[in-house]
């Protein structure tokens, strides 16, 4: 697995989404762009790791939450 890299803006929008402050459909254009980019990267990693069961079982299918947990876990282990 390649290192997950997120910008400060991506982290901000992830936290906004996880806190229920925004969703893709009610976000600003910039937030939508950032969130869509994060989702694209998350889907790519999900497929690479074949982690569909983990996504469903541990994260209730929340792709953003799963991806951010992977990001945080790699930063703890460095």
């Amino acid at each position: 697995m390649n290192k997950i890299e997120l910008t400060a803006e991506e982290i901000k929008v992830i936290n906004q989404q996880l806190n229920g402050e925004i969703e893709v459909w009610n976000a600003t254009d910039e937030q939508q762009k950032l969130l869509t980019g994060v989702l694209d990267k998350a889907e790519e990693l999900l497929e690479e790791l074949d982690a569909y069961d983990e996504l469903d079982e541990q994260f209730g299918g929340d792709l953003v939450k799963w991806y951010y947990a992977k990001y945080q876990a790699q930063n703890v282990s460095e």
Side-chain angles (χ1 to χ4, degrees), residues 29-47:
D29 289 344
E30 182 63 23
Q31 289 169 324
Q32 285 180 0
K33 179 181 165 191
L34 290 165
L35 204 49
T36 299
V38 168
L39 287 167
D40 289 344
K41 291 189 277 188
E43 287 172 357
E44 186 177 313
L45 182 62
L46 181 67
E47 187 173 311

Side-chain angles (χ1 to χ4, degrees), residues 50-61:
D50 191 23
Y52 298 96
D53 289 342
E54 176 186 359
L55 172 67
D56 290 336
E57 293 168 8
Q58 295 180 25
F59 297 92

Side-chain angles (χ1 to χ4, degrees), residues 5-16 34 68 71:
E5 298 198 21
L6 295 170
T7 66
E9 293 84 11
E10 287 172 326
I11 293 170
K12 180 179 177 183
V13 82
I14 286 169
N15 283 316
Q16 289 172 326
L34 290 165
Y68 195 50
Y71 170 77

Side-chain angles (χ1 to χ4, degrees), residues 12-24 35 62 64-65:
K12 180 179 177 183
V13 82
I14 286 169
N15 283 316
Q16 289 172 326
Q17 194 271 337
L18 292 177
N19 292 332
E21 298 168 24
I22 63 167
E23 293 293 335
V24 171
L35 204 49
D62 188 330
V64 172
K65 192 176 202 177

